[in-house]
Amino acid sequence: MAKRPNLLAAADREDALTTDVLEGLRKHPKELSPVWFYDEAGSSLFDSICELPEYYITRTELEIMRLHAAEMAAAIGPEAALIELGSGTSLKTRLLLAQLDSPSVYVPVDISREHLLDAAGAIAREYPDLRVAPVCADFTAPFQLPPHVASSRRRVVYFPGSTIGNFEADKARALLARMRQIVGRNGAALIGADLRKARDVLERAYDDRAGVTAEFNRNALRHLNRKVGADFDLDAFDHLAVWVEDMSRIEMHLVSKADQRVHIGNETVAIRRGEHLHTEYCHKYTLESFAALAASAGFDVARVWMDPDRKFSVQLLEPA
Ligand code: AVI
């Protein structure tokens, strides 16, 4: 008896997912949400992407953290609550935590419960004096902060990796505005933001020689096949990563190699040869464009740390 409501809820969830997917596939151009990248296989492909010679982002941000985490910690000040949006397993977080002066609490926020609890457990073991209070939530929607945050001197949201770039301008603004709300008047946000650079460097970062990013892109279809009972043929799509200058972003697409019909639940979607399924945006900023985005959400840029080649930036934002 007790299981029945859960089963129904699961079926409802699957219906809602199917409806969302179909909605995206009926748009012109067709689109799939990047959330479909991240099943277990996709998360491990993403880990491999971070190691690729062409994918400079992770390496460069780590270099910045290694060189400047102490300065970042000094700018943040003592007894801060560090609230990390997204995965908290990374070395970047550890580099920052190692430098912070008596942080009052570390709050990793992630939608994947298992991943979150593993990561939080590992951090708690490594930093036995640190209070770790994980929150399982979708950080793009309102969520409740644990009580310890209230007694901190300052709230600081940490959002590394240039994940901000995966949001279109209005959604990025809304997410920054939410961070502004979370941190209050004397808080701050520490954000990784990737910088504009030559087209060939960017396109190679998202279309590597080993084909890992292509596999990551196609894996969204494999995930859909499993989760909503679709029958995408992964071999029937080419991976495309293209720099769109006037939008200042890399766009990832899957391009259909043939006229085909895909079944999702009881529905059929026709996809023409050469038709694109758009899967991800990766916006790249200038210091000015990121400052303008931050300002539109009520933040000033207080400090910027960059690597010597100015490929990537970590920016401390404070309420305007
Ligand atoms: C997660 N995010 C910051 C990555 C990026 O670079 O925009 C996702 C990614 N997509 C393809 N490669 C990496």
Side-chain angles (χ1 to χ4, degrees):
M1 283 294 277
K3 281 204 167 159
R4 198 168 163 73
N6 286 339
L7 287 174
L8 286 174
D12 285 350
R13 268 201 303 277
E14 191 172 317
D15 280 355
L17 288 176
T18 305
T19 307
D20 267 11
V21 172
L22 285 167
E23 214 171 276
L25 291 176
R26 287 191 179 121
K27 286 188 179 162
H28 301 284
K30 291 181 167 47
E31 61 182 42
L32 288 175
S33 162
V35 300
W36 292 106
F37 291 144
Y38 298 101
D39 60 353
E40 216 179 301
S43 299
S44 115
L45 283 164
F46 181 65
D47 288 346
S48 305
I49 287 176
C50 294
E51 307 272 313
L52 289 169
E54 297 95 331
Y55 194 75
Y56 58 87
I57 291 189
T58 314
R59 225 176 359 263
T60 311
E61 189 175 18
L62 269 171
E63 181 193 341
I64 296 171
M65 296 306 290
R66 282 199 187 97
L67 285 172
H68 301 294
E71 280 175 51
M72 294 174 195
I76 286 170
E79 293 167 45
L82 188 72
I83 302 155
E84 181 171 2
L85 306 185
S87 157
T89 54
S90 78
L91 191 50
K92 291 166 232 164
T93 313
R94 286 167 164 78
L95 290 170
L96 185 60
L97 283 171
Q99 296 294 336
L100 282 176
D101 179 0
S102 324
S104 71
V105 59
Y106 169 57
V107 185
V109 182
D110 203 291
I111 193 146
S112 153
R113 181 172 294 277
E114 207 179 326
H115 183 73
L116 174 74
L117 296 180
D118 283 356
I123 296 258
R125 281 191 296 280
E126 275 172 56
Y127 298 86
D129 296 333
L130 177 68
R131 180 178 282 127
V132 180
V135 172
C136 184
D138 170 3
F139 64 73
T140 61
F143 60 87
Q144 193 130 31
L145 286 168
H148 304 297
V149 169
S151 55
S152 63
R153 278 220 212 176
R154 198 181 194 201
R155 300 174 187 188
V156 178
V157 165
Y158 183 41
F159 195 43
S162 200
T163 304
I164 190 73
N166 296 131
F167 293 84
E168 287 182 76
D170 53 341
K171 296 211 173 98
R173 186 174 309 116
L175 181 55
L176 288 171
R178 176 169 303 286
M179 295 182 200
R180 168 68 188 78
Q181 232 173 20
I182 291 173
V183 303
R185 264 238 58 80
N186 79 331
L190 186 66
I191 302 191
D194 195 18
L195 300 175
R196 273 178 73 117
K197 52 189 65 66
R199 170 189 294 271
D200 62 316
V201 176
L202 287 166
E203 289 185 343
R204 269 189 274 124
Y206 290 88
D207 191 6
D208 58 281
R209 278 171 68 96
V212 182
T213 312
E215 183 60 22
F216 174 72
N217 200 6
R218 285 194 198 93
N219 182 64
L221 302 179
R222 189 181 288 122
H223 189 189
L224 274 166
N225 285 350
R226 202 182 54 249
K227 199 69 187 246
V228 299
D231 60 357
F232 283 100
D233 172 5
L234 273 62
D235 294 332
F237 290 90
D238 281 324
H239 165 70
L240 175 73
V242 63
W243 171 247
V244 180
E245 175 74 27
D246 57 350
M247 299 303 288
S248 198
R249 68 191 181 199
I250 283 282
E251 293 189 7
M252 293 218 314
H253 299 237
L254 289 163
V255 185
S256 178
K257 292 188 196 172
D259 288 337
Q260 50 180 312
R261 286 178 175 276
V262 174
H263 303 97
I264 301 172
N266 298 324
E267 306 283 332
T268 302
V269 179
I271 307 176
R272 291 187 321 276
R273 178 166 185 266
E275 196 170 355
H276 291 211
L277 313 190
H278 165 259
T279 51
E280 192 183 42
Y281 295 129
C282 312
H283 292 85
K284 308 298 168 187
Y285 305 97
T286 60
L287 294 182
E288 295 73 25
S289 70
F290 195 74
L293 176 63
S296 71
F299 277 120
D300 281 338
V301 177
R303 296 285 300 269
V304 180
W305 293 272
M306 286 180 284
D307 55 297
D309 296 330
R310 297 184 154 229
K311 286 192 286 225
F312 195 88
S313 67
V314 179
Q315 309 211 12
L316 186 72
L317 310 183
E318 290 180 339

